[in-house]
Amino acid sequence: MKSTSERLPGEGGLFNQPKAVWAVAFACVISFMGMGLVDPILPAISKQLNATGSQVSLLFSSYTLVTGLMMLITGFISSRIGPKWTMIVGIAFNIAFSAFAGMSDTVWQIVGFRGGWGLGNALFIATALTAIVGLSTGGTAKAIILYEAALGLGISVGPLLGGELGSISWRGPFFGVSVLMAFAFVAILVLLPKIPKPKVRISIADPFKALRYPGLLTLGIVALFYNFGFFTLLAYTPLVMELGIHQLGYVFFGWGVALAITSVAGAPKLARAMGAVPALRLMLLLFALDLAAMGVWHASKTALVILVIVAGLFLGVINTLLTTVVMGAAPVERSVASASYNFVRFVGGAIGPWLANKLHEWTGNVQLPFYFGALIVFLGIAVTWLGRRALRNVDAGGGH
């Protein structure tokens, strides 16, 4: 059995994929735009809709909470109507709810529609990863790197698009994604062949049962703590930086580009050099230190810009390593492992965006959310040590 580090190859053959894989990857790019899309317009929404920072941060919390909860039913639905139609239904939800968010008049309406967007996102992304792995050529590891590259590209382009359209109106980014998702809808409908349903139907209880495997549960908890720091960066930093919509778009575009590059080029090399779990610990440590540095130099816009972009270098590696090792963390279907893992990390991490801004509102201390986020990420590193026996099995072949 090959180790995780051996299963993370270089770039050879990565882009030699069937049209169906590229159709799903394109839809992934558009779907992941929704995560960073609202970053540049957070201050504008806060100002124009008279919303506090913690209220605006709920645009992330509702999105991630619903995504995490709905992950529990993605396998149940996909095993009954098939992966292709599950993705199509998910994209249809994204088209509708992103448009509804653009038509909203209060921050609470946007928060609610972002939750609906999270429902569509859950149906799509969990199934998309399984589809890319199943349809791609070159093995699981290359398919995951392609998926993470789509994630990184979407996350990077999202803020840029949000900045450009947001400079016209804060409603623009929501309508823009709705239109782009319509193109993704057509691409999936036309180019994706019918993917056979799983031979065994997945029950709603299966993702919970999968958490009995220590490796999968440990990784879910690690990702939960990591997500807390991730969304502190994403939902709190734009409100602290006090930059214009265009400027915020460019900053988070740079962050997303850094994330995309290291997710493809950095993660495989680090995993081969030192093993996936040690590499994960190192990147979590560097990310925690980066957040702490934001607290120290919070008064300098230049420092915050640099630290945000540098954080992307660490996050790209973390995302790819986590996704790769999770796929082999338990002897269950990939879709079930993905659902279990995403349920834990998204539901638990949903409090991060709200709490980061609330800590600032409660104390008036701009630095505290950064330090707190760094502490939570450090806890994630501690979990990798406490669960090192289970993760040793994951690093040595996924327990299969």
Side-chain angles (χ1 to χ4, degrees):
M1 185 68 67
K2 291 185 178 182
S3 70
T4 302
S5 59
E6 290 173 332
R7 289 185 286 113
L8 276 164
E11 295 181 2
L14 178 64
F15 300 107
N16 183 23
Q17 302 292 346
K19 289 181 180 179
V21 171
W22 290 116
V24 178
F26 170 71
C28 285
V29 171
I30 307 303
S31 178
F32 289 126
M33 280 184 184
M35 189 173 292
L37 177 86
V38 298
D39 267 318
I41 58 175
L42 288 180
I45 291 175
S46 177
K47 182 178 180 181
Q48 294 181 32
L49 299 183
N50 297 315
T52 64
S54 60
Q55 289 173 340
V56 169
S57 72
L58 291 175
L59 270 69
F60 287 101
S61 293
S62 64
Y63 179 80
T64 55
L65 177 63
V66 175
T67 296
L69 290 172
M70 291 302 104
M71 282 291 176
L72 295 174
I73 66 169
T74 54
F76 176 85
I77 294 173
S78 178
S79 64
R80 284 157 176 78
I81 67 174
K84 177 175 181 177
W85 285 104
T86 303
M87 283 189 282
I88 287 173
V89 171
I91 293 174
F93 275 120
N94 286 349
I95 293 170
F97 284 108
S98 56
F100 291 152
M103 292 185 279
S104 300
D105 295 315
T106 69
V107 69
W108 297 112
Q109 288 176 348
I110 303 175
V111 168
F113 290 132
R114 283 280 287 180
W117 197 339
L119 167 59
N121 194 53
L123 291 172
F124 175 76
I125 63 172
T127 313
L129 176 56
T130 303
I132 286 179
V133 170
L135 294 169
S136 67
T137 57
T140 299
K142 288 183 181 179
I144 289 173
I145 292 173
L146 184 62
Y147 174 83
E148 291 296 335
L151 183 152
L153 184 59
I155 286 178
S156 63
V157 174
L160 190 64
L161 179 67
E164 294 301 317
L165 296 179
S167 63
I168 302 170
S169 167
W170 65 261
R171 302 176 189 273
F174 295 116
F175 291 131
V177 163
S178 184
V179 171
L180 288 172
M181 285 304 298
F183 286 110
F185 182 92
V186 174
I188 294 291
L189 193 63
V190 174
L191 296 177
L192 191 67
K194 183 178 180 180
I195 303 173
K197 301 175 187 177
K199 294 180 180 179
V200 179
R201 288 190 172 186
I202 297 171
S203 74
I204 294 177
D206 285 346
F208 289 108
K209 293 177 181 177
L211 291 174
R212 293 180 299 182
Y213 294 97
L216 185 59
L217 178 61
T218 300
L219 289 168
I221 295 172
V222 171
L224 186 162
F225 290 137
Y226 158 63
N227 261 21
F228 197 102
F230 180 91
F231 284 110
T232 296
L233 178 97
L234 213 57
Y236 178 66
T237 310
L239 298 171
V240 175
M241 297 175 82
E242 297 181 347
L243 297 175
I245 290 177
H246 272 298
Q247 292 172 314
L248 280 173
Y250 294 141
V251 170
F252 279 92
F253 172 68
W255 166 79
V257 168
L259 186 153
I261 290 172
T262 57
S263 67
V264 176
K269 292 179 180 178
L270 276 172
R272 282 196 300 269
M274 57 191 303
V277 174
L280 178 62
R281 288 193 189 109
L282 175 61
M283 291 298 104
L284 287 171
L285 174 62
L286 292 174
F287 177 43
L289 293 174
D290 191 280
L291 284 173
M294 290 184 195
V296 173
W297 289 292
H298 69 281
S300 169
K301 292 182 181 180
T302 301
L304 284 179
V305 168
I306 293 172
L307 288 168
V308 165
I309 294 173
V310 168
L313 298 173
F314 311 137
L315 303 188
V317 177
I318 294 170
N319 287 344
T320 297
L321 291 177
L322 280 172
T323 304
T324 302
V325 294
V326 160
M327 287 294 101
V332 297
E333 293 286 337
R334 291 190 185 101
S335 58
V336 174
S338 178
S340 301
Y341 163 76
N342 283 307
F343 166 70
V344 175
R345 73 173 180 131
F346 278 131
V347 171
I351 194 176
W354 176 82
L355 186 57
N357 283 278
K358 208 65 182 176
L359 285 172
H360 179 211
E361 292 171 14
W362 284 335
T363 66
N365 188 325
V366 178
Q367 299 165 281
L368 183 59
F370 290 122
Y371 294 146
F372 191 72
L375 174 63
I376 298 297
V377 176
F378 273 121
L379 289 179
I381 301 172
V383 171
T384 68
W385 284 107
L386 292 172
R388 60 187 178 277
R389 183 173 299 176
L391 295 184
R392 188 182 303 123
N393 293 335
V394 169
D395 217 9
H400 293 282

